[in-house]
Amino acid sequence: MARTVAHVIVDALEELGVRHVFGVVGDALNPMTDAIRTKEGLSWIGCRHEEAAAFAAGAQSQLSGTIGVCMGTVGPGSVHLLNGLYDAAKSRTPVLAICGQVPLAEIGSEYFQEVDNDLLFRDVAVYRATVTSPDQMPRMLESAVRGAVGHGGVAVLTVPGDLGDQELGEDRPARFALDRPVTRPDDPALVEAAELLNSASRVTLLVGRGARDARTEVLRTAELLAAPMVLTLKAKEGFEEDNAFQVGQTGLIGNPAAAHALDKGDALLMLGTDFPYRDWYPKDRKVVQIDAREEHLGRRVPVTVGLAGDVGATLRGLLPLLKAAPDRAHLDDARDRFAHWQEGQRRLADPGHETRLPGKLRAVLDNRDHEIRPEALAAAVDAYADQDAVFTSDTGMATVWLSRFVTMSGTRRLIGSYNLGSMANAMPQALGAQLWAPDRQIVAFCGDGGLSMLLGDLMTIKTYRLPVKLVVFDNRRLGMVKLEQEQAGLPEFGTELDNPDFAAVATALGITGIRVSDPAELHESVRRAFDTPGPVVLDVLTNPEEMAVPGKPTVAQGWGFAIAKVREMLSSNGS
């Protein structure tokens, strides 16, 4: 007996090593979910919102290096997948979305819930197609998976509701050839790059996630060139620990040492990064860029030598051509500045920091309600989290505090919406991460705005008894937007959030909720959250006025902030 379209798809997913499929059940997906029901090695994870399903699938893909899978039913169900799929696309991670469609004969008739999926997903997907005959399987599925894996992106396969349970005329197993090629530039290009780097007196490295699998080669390059290493946020994982060359991040979340290292170098070596913020690149420098994607070369900053190839393979060819730098002053200066900045950050993270401030300033601060410094919360999480914990973070201030106070030591992992910059990603990504690694501690740095946006999937966490730890930076604000407004000289507007007691909400759902409003209780509460079995929502009331100073603040930003504060004061006085 031949298999149905649904069984061909589900059997192939199991053979690919997929363990979880995320989505919301319904109509056109019924043949798919019924086929999953009969599989011991494949589980259906019913989410409350398809956006959460797509984020969870993308998280599993980023952590495992293999394909993640989500499903959305006809029309609105598929539309809801879109934001999470955009995040996967921007993160260059393979995700397969199986989408339902109206019956084949009704396509194009403006049927109830009909949406043109091939048009809808045109921008986000490297492959998209609608199955119109059972005999197109498994060929179309093979093309979808190869497209997603080969390009590191999203594939969307649409299956009309009346095709899923139809049998194939000629059944065969699906076959996937998924090996990715490793490339390196030709020798003349390597010689040109080596001559440029050897002639420079101060080289700085900018290292991204694309270099993650080449840690040994990257460290050897930094050692030979005596080069400080600026890390992108996504390069914290893999390069932050045991690295005598790294000086943290640049950009708005960065620090003065990293900015100084970039500005004072006379040559920049970019390794596996497409860091997008042009204003933070040094001007008029010689630049060597290595990236597996040729289209990335030179699109952020003019490049003197562009090398298209795998970072590890390219560095293995380049290293024998490099000469040891005679002077380590550039590296030593950057590292000293970084150590000084880190010491200042440690003082900010001390819960008793404000008791050591000058008397008049302390008196002003004492008039406020007790509010916890977000720096202290992030540092406490870093202190008590496991050395193999997986961290997710919401876009905004939660990511700022994680980047500055959580160290990717041990075998810790880190994911977030660091290319798309979506809200509401941390909790659903934690959901996917916990299913991927059931025995590891999963810690989500949640903004209050982000958590409340997809709050319903707390119930998914409860249903599947996932022991994730959700740390809520509850400042009753869209904090990054507030900072953006004030730096531009605008008074805060539209950013205030009328939050519930998130710990009480969690308790009502059957999840342990812990609410913290007293700085003296912070460390014990964080410790208790991590020691408590099962899921925990740690709702910490943090200071909404706390701001993160960028690594290279401008006079315009300072004036803007001062003007904004005056306007806010006048507004609060009714003027």
Side-chain angles (χ1 to χ4, degrees):
M1 180 178 176
R3 293 177 299 164
T4 66
V5 169
H7 280 96
V8 167
I9 292 173
V10 170
D11 289 347
L13 295 180
E14 186 179 42
E15 292 168 12
L16 282 167
V18 175
R19 292 185 294 164
H20 306 103
V21 177
F22 301 88
V24 177
V25 298
D27 42 66
L29 290 184
N30 287 336
M32 301 288 175
T33 53
D34 187 64
I36 292 171
R37 178 182 60 81
T38 64
K39 288 291 180 185
E40 292 186 3
L42 189 63
S43 298
W44 172 260
I45 306 300
C47 297
R48 299 305 179 105
H49 195 298
E50 289 90 349
E51 182 176 347
F55 271 125
Q60 287 203 342
S61 175
Q62 290 186 63
L63 292 167
S64 68
T66 58
I67 196 163
V69 181
C70 58
M71 294 188 181
T73 192
V74 180
S78 295
V79 173
H80 283 165
L81 292 172
L82 198 57
N83 193 55
L85 293 182
Y86 261 105
D87 186 75
K90 297 278 279 185
S91 298
R92 302 284 190 181
T93 198
V95 170
L96 172 66
I98 305 292
C99 293
Q101 185 54 283
V102 300
L104 189 60
E106 302 295 345
I107 292 178
S109 70
E110 296 190 9
Y111 197 73
F112 174 64
Q113 291 191 322
E114 181 184 2
V115 169
D116 186 343
N117 287 346
D118 293 338
L119 178 62
L120 175 69
F121 295 108
R122 179 177 179 179
D123 183 52
V124 73
V126 297
Y127 176 95
R128 65 198 184 284
T130 298
V131 181
T132 58
S133 166
D135 292 331
Q136 292 175 308
M137 302 298 289
R139 173 174 49 85
M140 289 180 70
L141 176 65
E142 292 168 340
S143 296
V145 172
R146 288 173 186 154
V149 173
H151 293 280
V154 172
V156 178
L157 191 65
T158 296
V159 182
D162 56 345
L163 279 184
D165 56 5
Q166 290 190 27
E167 294 183 354
L168 276 65
E170 295 183 10
D171 192 3
R172 68 167 176 83
R175 302 183 182 96
F176 303 99
L178 302 178
D179 289 338
R180 300 184 186 181
V182 175
T183 61
R184 51 150 280 187
D186 291 336
D187 289 344
L190 295 178
V191 170
E192 184 182 5
E195 288 176 349
L196 186 155
L197 295 170
N198 288 333
S199 65
S201 59
R202 299 179 306 279
V203 178
T204 299
L205 271 56
L206 179 60
V207 179
R209 189 178 181 184
R212 183 179 58 182
D213 295 330
R215 175 183 164 91
T216 300
E217 293 86 351
V218 172
L219 291 178
R220 177 59 180 154
T221 301
E223 181 181 24
L224 268 176
L225 298 175
M229 186 187 302
V230 178
L231 305 178
T232 67
L233 178 61
K234 294 169 75 172
K236 274 174 67 75
E237 177 193 317
F239 285 102
E240 189 168 45
E241 187 184 26
D242 296 331
N243 184 346
F245 307 97
Q246 71 98 3
V247 292
Q249 283 87 63
T250 186
L252 288 175
I253 67 173
N255 70 80
H260 183 83
L262 288 170
D263 287 343
K264 294 303 179 182
D266 61 357
L268 174 65
L269 175 56
M270 299 171 60
L271 301 175
T273 179
D274 190 37
F275 183 73
Y277 304 107
R278 300 175 190 273
D279 290 345
W280 293 88
Y281 283 95
K283 304 295 189 292
D284 301 321
R285 299 292 192 275
K286 295 179 179 179
V287 178
V288 177
Q289 183 177 4
I290 303 174
D291 201 288
R293 295 180 179 273
E294 189 169 0
E295 66 270 22
H296 288 182
L297 299 177
R299 75 174 180 176
R300 306 301 183 190
V301 65
V303 168
T304 312
V305 181
L307 302 175
D310 175 82
V311 172
T314 303
L315 287 181
R316 286 191 291 275
L318 181 63
L319 278 166
L321 306 176
L322 296 179
K323 299 177 182 177
D327 185 354
R328 296 176 60 90
H330 180 49
L331 171 61
D332 292 341
D333 178 49
R335 288 285 290 177
D336 287 345
R337 290 172 181 268
F338 185 50
H340 178 74
W341 178 80
Q342 286 182 306
E343 178 57 34
Q345 295 297 293
R346 280 190 286 269
R347 290 194 296 270
L348 289 175
D350 183 349
H353 170 72
E354 289 172 356
T355 64
R356 292 186 293 274
L357 293 173
K360 291 184 179 179
L361 179 56
R362 188 170 66 249
V364 172
L365 296 174
D366 285 344
N367 287 329
R368 305 175 314 182
D369 293 334
H370 284 294
E371 290 169 338
I372 296 167
R373 300 182 69 90
E375 300 97 328
L377 172 56
V381 171
D382 181 50
Y384 296 115
D386 292 345
Q387 289 302 292
D388 66 347
V390 179
F391 291 87
T392 67
S393 69
D394 270 333
T395 299
M397 298 307 295
T399 289
V400 174
W401 307 128
L402 182 145
S403 73
R404 294 188 173 188
F405 293 96
V406 176
T407 302
M408 291 294 110
S409 55
T411 56
R412 288 176 171 179
R413 301 291 304 273
L414 173 63
I415 57 173
S417 186
Y418 300 141
N419 291 77
L420 180 63
S422 173
M423 286 180 65
N425 63 284
M427 182 263 285
Q429 286 181 328
L431 187 161
Q434 190 70 82
L435 285 160
W436 172 74
D439 297 327
R440 290 175 71 166
Q441 187 182 75
I442 311 297
V443 183
F445 271 47
C446 299
D448 45 3
L451 180 65
S452 57
M453 185 175 282
L454 285 177
L455 192 62
D457 273 281
L458 278 179
M459 291 178 274
T460 306
I461 290 172
K462 169 60 168 58
T463 297
Y464 292 95
R465 299 176 177 85
L466 303 177
V468 297
K469 312 305 180 188
L470 304 175
V471 180
V472 186
F473 287 74
D474 190 352
N475 64 355
R476 288 78 65 205
R477 293 294 193 282
L478 298 175
M480 185 62 80
V481 180
K482 168 181 160 66
L483 181 60
E484 291 167 351
Q485 290 175 347
E486 291 175 341
Q487 286 182 343
L490 302 173
E492 179 186 6
F493 179 76
T495 65
E496 296 187 24
L497 300 175
D498 183 14
N499 288 337
D501 180 333
F502 289 111
V505 171
T507 301
L509 295 174
I511 295 173
T512 300
I514 301 172
R515 188 170 172 89
V516 191
S517 58
D518 187 343
E521 299 174 357
L522 176 63
H523 276 257
E524 178 55 35
S525 298
V526 172
R527 184 188 297 110
R528 179 157 61 96
F530 287 149
D531 288 344
T532 299
V536 176
V537 172
L538 179 66
D539 183 15
V540 182
L541 301 184
T542 57
N543 178 11
E545 298 301 325
E546 196 70 22
M547 69 173 186
V549 178
K552 192 166 54 176
T554 65
V555 173
Q557 288 171 332
W559 273 112
F561 187 78
I563 293 169
K565 287 302 177 186
V566 170
R567 288 176 172 173
E568 289 169 8
M569 188 182 307
L570 292 174
S571 176
S572 66
N573 291 333
S575 303

Short mmCIF file of all heavy atoms in Angstrom, two decimals, residues 178-220:
data_model
loop_
_atom_site.label_atom_id
_atom_site.label_comp_id
_atom_site.label_asym_id
_atom_site.label_seq_id
_atom_site.Cartn_x
_atom_site.Cartn_y
_atom_site.Cartn_z
N LEU A 178 22.92 16.70 1.87
CA LEU A 178 22.95 17.95 2.62
C LEU A 178 24.35 18.42 3.00
O LEU A 178 24.49 19.33 3.82
CB LEU A 178 22.09 17.79 3.89
CG LEU A 178 20.62 17.42 3.64
CD1 LEU A 178 19.90 17.24 4.97
CD2 LEU A 178 19.92 18.45 2.78
N ASP A 179 25.39 17.82 2.46
CA ASP A 179 26.74 18.26 2.79
C ASP A 179 26.99 19.66 2.24
O ASP A 179 26.69 19.95 1.08
CB ASP A 179 27.79 17.30 2.21
CG ASP A 179 27.79 15.96 2.93
OD1 ASP A 179 27.33 15.92 4.08
OD2 ASP A 179 28.23 14.96 2.33
N ARG A 180 27.53 20.53 3.10
CA ARG A 180 27.83 21.89 2.67
C ARG A 180 29.30 21.98 2.27
O ARG A 180 30.18 21.49 2.97
CB ARG A 180 27.54 22.88 3.80
CG ARG A 180 26.10 22.88 4.27
CD ARG A 180 25.88 23.96 5.32
NE ARG A 180 24.54 23.90 5.90
CZ ARG A 180 24.08 24.74 6.81
NH1 ARG A 180 24.86 25.70 7.26
NH2 ARG A 180 22.85 24.62 7.28
N PRO A 181 29.59 22.63 1.14
CA PRO A 181 30.99 22.73 0.71
C PRO A 181 31.79 23.68 1.58
O PRO A 181 31.25 24.64 2.14
CB PRO A 181 30.87 23.27 -0.72
CG PRO A 181 29.58 24.03 -0.72
CD PRO A 181 28.66 23.27 0.21
N VAL A 182 33.08 23.41 1.73
CA VAL A 182 34.00 24.30 2.43
C VAL A 182 34.94 24.89 1.38
O VAL A 182 35.61 24.16 0.65
CB VAL A 182 34.81 23.55 3.51
CG1 VAL A 182 35.85 24.47 4.13
CG2 VAL A 182 33.87 23.00 4.57
N THR A 183 34.98 26.20 1.30
CA THR A 183 35.76 26.86 0.26
C THR A 183 36.79 27.80 0.89
O THR A 183 36.66 28.22 2.04
CB THR A 183 34.85 27.68 -0.68
OG1 THR A 183 34.18 28.69 0.08
CG2 THR A 183 33.81 26.78 -1.33
N ARG A 184 37.81 28.14 0.09
CA ARG A 184 38.82 29.13 0.49
C ARG A 184 39.30 29.84 -0.76
O ARG A 184 39.24 29.31 -1.86
CB ARG A 184 39.98 28.51 1.24
CG ARG A 184 40.63 27.33 0.59
CD ARG A 184 42.11 27.21 0.93
NE ARG A 184 42.90 28.13 0.12
CZ ARG A 184 44.24 28.14 0.11
NH1 ARG A 184 44.92 27.32 0.89
NH2 ARG A 184 44.91 28.99 -0.65
N PRO A 185 39.80 31.07 -0.62
CA PRO A 185 40.27 31.83 -1.79
C PRO A 185 41.54 31.22 -2.39
O PRO A 185 42.23 30.40 -1.78
CB PRO A 185 40.55 33.22 -1.22
CG PRO A 185 39.89 33.26 0.11
CD PRO A 185 39.88 31.86 0.62
N ASP A 186 41.85 31.66 -3.61
CA ASP A 186 43.09 31.24 -4.25
C ASP A 186 44.29 31.87 -3.55
O ASP A 186 44.19 32.89 -2.87
CB ASP A 186 43.09 31.66 -5.73
CG ASP A 186 42.07 30.88 -6.55
OD1 ASP A 186 41.71 29.76 -6.12
OD2 ASP A 186 41.64 31.38 -7.61
N ASP A 187 45.47 31.29 -3.76
CA ASP A 187 46.68 31.74 -3.08
C ASP A 187 47.04 33.20 -3.34
O ASP A 187 47.46 33.90 -2.40
CB ASP A 187 47.86 30.84 -3.47
CG ASP A 187 47.75 29.45 -2.86
OD1 ASP A 187 46.95 29.29 -1.91
OD2 ASP A 187 48.45 28.53 -3.33
N PRO A 188 46.92 33.73 -4.57
CA PRO A 188 47.28 35.15 -4.77
C PRO A 188 46.47 36.10 -3.88
O PRO A 188 47.02 37.11 -3.39
CB PRO A 188 46.97 35.37 -6.26
CG PRO A 188 47.13 34.03 -6.88
CD PRO A 188 46.61 33.06 -5.86
N ALA A 189 45.21 35.80 -3.67
CA ALA A 189 44.39 36.65 -2.80
C ALA A 189 44.87 36.57 -1.36
O ALA A 189 44.90 37.58 -0.63
CB ALA A 189 42.92 36.24 -2.90
N LEU A 190 45.28 35.39 -0.91
CA LEU A 190 45.80 35.23 0.45
C LEU A 190 47.11 35.99 0.61
O LEU A 190 47.35 36.62 1.65
CB LEU A 190 46.02 33.75 0.76
CG LEU A 190 44.76 32.87 0.83
CD1 LEU A 190 45.14 31.43 1.10
CD2 LEU A 190 43.80 33.37 1.91
N VAL A 191 47.95 35.96 -0.40
CA VAL A 191 49.22 36.69 -0.35
C VAL A 191 48.97 38.19 -0.24
O VAL A 191 49.61 38.90 0.55
CB VAL A 191 50.08 36.37 -1.59
CG1 VAL A 191 51.28 37.31 -1.67
CG2 VAL A 191 50.54 34.92 -1.57
N GLU A 192 48.01 38.69 -1.01
CA GLU A 192 47.68 40.12 -0.96
C GLU A 192 47.18 40.52 0.43
O GLU A 192 47.58 41.56 0.98
CB GLU A 192 46.62 40.44 -2.01
CG GLU A 192 46.28 41.92 -2.09
CD GLU A 192 45.19 42.21 -3.11
OE1 GLU A 192 44.64 41.27 -3.70
OE2 GLU A 192 44.88 43.41 -3.31
N ALA A 193 46.33 39.68 1.03
CA ALA A 193 45.82 39.97 2.37
C ALA A 193 46.94 39.94 3.39
O ALA A 193 47.02 40.80 4.29
CB ALA A 193 44.74 38.97 2.74
N ALA A 194 47.83 38.95 3.29
CA ALA A 194 48.94 38.84 4.24
C ALA A 194 49.87 40.05 4.15
O ALA A 194 50.34 40.57 5.17
CB ALA A 194 49.71 37.55 3.98
N GLU A 195 50.14 40.51 2.95
CA GLU A 195 51.03 41.67 2.78
C GLU A 195 50.41 42.91 3.43
O GLU A 195 51.12 43.70 4.08
CB GLU A 195 51.28 41.92 1.29
CG GLU A 195 52.19 40.87 0.65
CD GLU A 195 52.35 41.08 -0.85
OE1 GLU A 195 51.58 41.91 -1.42
OE2 GLU A 195 53.20 40.41 -1.46
N LEU A 196 49.12 43.08 3.28
CA LEU A 196 48.46 44.22 3.91
C LEU A 196 48.56 44.14 5.43
O LEU A 196 48.91 45.11 6.11
CB LEU A 196 47.00 44.28 3.47
CG LEU A 196 46.16 45.49 3.91
CD1 LEU A 196 45.00 45.72 2.93
CD2 LEU A 196 45.58 45.30 5.32
N LEU A 197 48.24 42.97 6.00
CA LEU A 197 48.24 42.82 7.46
C LEU A 197 49.65 42.91 8.02
O LEU A 197 49.87 43.48 9.10
CB LEU A 197 47.59 41.49 7.84
CG LEU A 197 46.10 41.38 7.49
CD1 LEU A 197 45.61 39.95 7.67
CD2 LEU A 197 45.27 42.33 8.34
N ASN A 198 50.63 42.36 7.33
CA ASN A 198 52.01 42.40 7.81
C ASN A 198 52.58 43.82 7.79
O ASN A 198 53.46 44.15 8.60
CB ASN A 198 52.89 41.49 6.95
CG ASN A 198 52.63 40.01 7.22
OD1 ASN A 198 52.20 39.63 8.31
ND2 ASN A 198 52.89 39.18 6.23
N SER A 199 52.07 44.65 6.89
CA SER A 199 52.59 46.02 6.79
C SER A 199 51.92 46.97 7.79
O SER A 199 52.40 48.08 7.99
CB SER A 199 52.38 46.56 5.37
OG SER A 199 51.00 46.68 5.08
N ALA A 200 50.83 46.53 8.41
CA ALA A 200 50.12 47.39 9.35
C ALA A 200 50.81 47.35 10.72
O ALA A 200 51.34 46.32 11.13
CB ALA A 200 48.67 46.93 9.49
N SER A 201 50.77 48.47 11.42
CA SER A 201 51.39 48.52 12.75
C SER A 201 50.38 48.23 13.86
O SER A 201 50.77 47.82 14.95
CB SER A 201 52.02 49.91 12.98
OG SER A 201 51.04 50.93 12.87
N ARG A 202 49.09 48.42 13.59
CA ARG A 202 48.06 48.19 14.61
C ARG A 202 46.84 47.55 13.93
O ARG A 202 46.05 48.25 13.28
CB ARG A 202 47.64 49.50 15.29
CG ARG A 202 48.78 50.22 16.01
CD ARG A 202 48.30 51.53 16.65
NE ARG A 202 47.65 52.40 15.69
CZ ARG A 202 48.28 53.19 14.83
NH1 ARG A 202 49.61 53.22 14.82
NH2 ARG A 202 47.60 53.96 14.00
N VAL A 203 46.70 46.25 14.09
CA VAL A 203 45.57 45.52 13.49
C VAL A 203 44.52 45.27 14.57
O VAL A 203 44.85 44.88 15.69
CB VAL A 203 46.03 44.19 12.88
CG1 VAL A 203 44.84 43.42 12.30
CG2 VAL A 203 47.09 44.43 11.81
N THR A 204 43.26 45.47 14.22
CA THR A 204 42.15 45.13 15.09
C THR A 204 41.28 44.09 14.39
O THR A 204 41.04 44.19 13.18
CB THR A 204 41.29 46.36 15.42
OG1 THR A 204 42.11 47.33 16.11
CG2 THR A 204 40.10 45.99 16.30
N LEU A 205 40.82 43.09 15.14
CA LEU A 205 39.93 42.07 14.60
C LEU A 205 38.49 42.39 14.98
O LEU A 205 38.22 42.78 16.12
CB LEU A 205 40.28 40.69 15.15
CG LEU A 205 41.31 39.83 14.40
CD1 LEU A 205 42.62 40.58 14.23
CD2 LEU A 205 41.52 38.50 15.11
N LEU A 206 37.57 42.22 14.04
CA LEU A 206 36.14 42.26 14.30
C LEU A 206 35.60 40.88 13.96
O LEU A 206 35.61 40.48 12.79
CB LEU A 206 35.45 43.34 13.47
CG LEU A 206 33.93 43.46 13.64
CD1 LEU A 206 33.55 43.78 15.08
CD2 LEU A 206 33.35 44.52 12.69
N VAL A 207 35.16 40.15 14.98
CA VAL A 207 34.85 38.73 14.83
C VAL A 207 33.36 38.49 15.03
O VAL A 207 32.77 38.94 16.02
CB VAL A 207 35.66 37.88 15.84
CG1 VAL A 207 35.33 36.40 15.70
CG2 VAL A 207 37.16 38.11 15.62
N GLY A 208 32.76 37.77 14.10
CA GLY A 208 31.34 37.46 14.17
C GLY A 208 31.08 35.98 14.29
O GLY A 208 32.01 35.15 14.35
N ARG A 209 29.81 35.63 14.27
CA ARG A 209 29.41 34.24 14.47
C ARG A 209 29.90 33.33 13.34
O ARG A 209 30.08 32.14 13.54
CB ARG A 209 27.89 34.15 14.58
CG ARG A 209 27.42 32.77 15.01
CD ARG A 209 25.93 32.69 15.17
NE ARG A 209 25.53 31.35 15.61
CZ ARG A 209 24.27 30.97 15.76
NH1 ARG A 209 23.30 31.81 15.49
NH2 ARG A 209 23.98 29.76 16.16
N GLY A 210 30.13 33.91 12.18
CA GLY A 210 30.62 33.10 11.07
C GLY A 210 31.99 32.51 11.31
O GLY A 210 32.43 31.62 10.56
N ALA A 211 32.68 32.98 12.35
CA ALA A 211 33.99 32.44 12.69
C ALA A 211 33.92 31.43 13.83
O ALA A 211 34.95 30.96 14.31
CB ALA A 211 34.94 33.58 13.08
N ARG A 212 32.71 31.10 14.28
CA ARG A 212 32.54 30.28 15.50
C ARG A 212 33.27 28.95 15.42
O ARG A 212 33.83 28.47 16.41
CB ARG A 212 31.05 30.06 15.76
CG ARG A 212 30.75 29.29 17.02
CD ARG A 212 29.26 29.14 17.22
NE ARG A 212 28.62 28.47 16.10
CZ ARG A 212 27.31 28.25 16.03
NH1 ARG A 212 26.51 28.70 16.97
NH2 ARG A 212 26.81 27.62 14.99
N ASP A 213 33.28 28.32 14.25
CA ASP A 213 33.89 27.01 14.12
C ASP A 213 35.40 27.09 13.87
O ASP A 213 36.04 26.07 13.63
CB ASP A 213 33.22 26.22 12.99
CG ASP A 213 31.77 25.91 13.29
OD1 ASP A 213 31.43 25.77 14.49
OD2 ASP A 213 30.97 25.83 12.34
N ALA A 214 35.95 28.29 13.94
CA ALA A 214 37.38 28.47 13.67
C ALA A 214 38.07 29.15 14.85
O ALA A 214 39.01 29.92 14.67
CB ALA A 214 37.56 29.31 12.40
N ARG A 215 37.65 28.83 16.07
CA ARG A 215 38.20 29.49 17.25
C ARG A 215 39.72 29.38 17.31
O ARG A 215 40.43 30.36 17.55
CB ARG A 215 37.58 28.92 18.52
CG ARG A 215 38.20 29.47 19.81
CD ARG A 215 37.61 28.83 21.05
NE ARG A 215 38.44 29.07 22.22
CZ ARG A 215 38.30 30.10 23.05
NH1 ARG A 215 37.34 30.98 22.84
NH2 ARG A 215 39.09 30.25 24.08
N THR A 216 40.26 28.19 17.08
CA THR A 216 41.71 27.99 17.17
C THR A 216 42.44 28.88 16.19
O THR A 216 43.43 29.55 16.54
CB THR A 216 42.06 26.52 16.92
OG1 THR A 216 41.41 25.71 17.91
CG2 THR A 216 43.57 26.29 16.99
N GLU A 217 41.96 28.92 14.96
CA GLU A 217 42.62 29.73 13.93
C GLU A 217 42.49 31.22 14.23
O GLU A 217 43.44 31.99 14.00
CB GLU A 217 42.02 29.42 12.56
CG GLU A 217 42.31 28.03 12.04
CD GLU A 217 41.32 26.98 12.52
OE1 GLU A 217 40.49 27.31 13.40
OE2 GLU A 217 41.35 25.84 12.02
N VAL A 218 41.33 31.64 14.75
CA VAL A 218 41.13 33.06 15.05
C VAL A 218 42.05 33.51 16.18
O VAL A 218 42.69 34.57 16.11
CB VAL A 218 39.66 33.34 15.40
CG1 VAL A 218 39.47 34.77 15.90
CG2 VAL A 218 38.75 33.09 14.19
N LEU A 219 42.15 32.70 17.23
CA LEU A 219 43.03 33.06 18.34
C LEU A 219 44.49 33.10 17.90
O LEU A 219 45.26 33.96 18.34
CB LEU A 219 42.85 32.07 19.49
CG LEU A 219 41.51 32.12 20.22
CD1 LEU A 219 41.45 31.06 21.31
CD2 LEU A 219 41.25 33.49 20.82
N ARG A 220 44.89 32.17 17.05
CA ARG A 220 46.27 32.16 16.56
C ARG A 220 46.55 33.42 15.72
O ARG A 220 47.63 34.01 15.81
CB ARG A 220 46.51 30.90 15.72
CG ARG A 220 47.89 30.81 15.08
CD ARG A 220 49.00 30.85 16.12
NE ARG A 220 50.31 30.77 15.48
CZ ARG A 220 51.43 31.25 16.01
NH1 ARG A 220 51.39 31.88 17.19
NH2 ARG A 220 52.57 31.13 15.38
#
